[in-house]
Amino acid sequence: MWLFDMDHGSNVAPRLLKERSGHSDTPHIIKFYGDDGKHILSCSENTPLRNNSLINEHISRNFSYKKAISKKKLAHTNEDIGKTLDFAFNELRERDWANIVTISDSNDNVPSIWSMENGSLAKTTCKYETDMSGVKT
């Protein structure tokens, strides 16, 4: 929504008052978040993770990864994170720690951990061992 201000008859450039946003590509994963059904988490080719509120558009947002990446001194871009293949979450104690995990088709195959509370990539990372020689079956 644009606002056109009039200053005593002279035209002033319009300014953006409200904006609705979303995925520019078609989402390929969509899941309801929580028991109340008020939020939808979704992923698309260009957006690793997005929170879509069904109640208030002002709450909807893309999850940010740039702040956490810059603190780690890594040079990641959206292409480095890759296309999200799947994600899982648990809303229990979401205000205390990051509660969403995503896996992508990036080269490192390391899951990303996201915080619903902060709407961003968590500072912690997942580590796993590919050597299974010490595991007893």
Side-chain angles (χ1 to χ4, degrees), residues 90-120:
N90 188 334
E91 65 272 9
L92 184 66
R93 295 186 68 179
E94 68 182 11
R95 297 183 190 274
D96 296 330
W97 51 66
N99 62 329
I100 303 169
V101 63
T102 61
I103 187 70
S104 67
D105 63 356
S106 64
N107 293 334
D108 58 4
N109 292 325
V110 176
S112 299
I113 305 172
W114 305 81
S115 170
M116 180 69 162
E117 177 69 16
N118 299 331
S120 64

Side-chain angles (χ1 to χ4, degrees), residues 11-43:
N11 290 336
V12 179
R15 60 188 169 104
L16 187 62
L17 182 62
K18 291 183 181 180
E19 179 181 25
R20 297 187 69 137
S21 62
H23 295 287
S24 59
D25 289 339
T26 304
H28 59 271
I29 303 172
I30 301 172
K31 296 180 184 179
F32 279 100
Y33 178 84
D35 293 331
D36 57 3
K38 294 180 181 178
H39 295 272
I40 295 175
L41 295 179
S42 59
C43 302

Side-chain angles (χ1 to χ4, degrees), residues 64-95:
S64 172
Y65 56 89
K66 294 177 183 174
K67 188 174 183 181
I69 296 301
S70 65
K71 285 184 180 180
K72 293 178 185 179
K73 306 292 188 224
L74 299 173
H76 280 297
T77 63
N78 192 20
E79 290 79 25
D80 292 335
I81 289 180
K83 176 183 173 184
T84 302
L85 301 175
D86 201 3
F87 66 88
F89 59 86
N90 188 334
E91 65 272 9
L92 184 66
R93 295 186 68 179
E94 68 182 11
R95 297 183 190 274

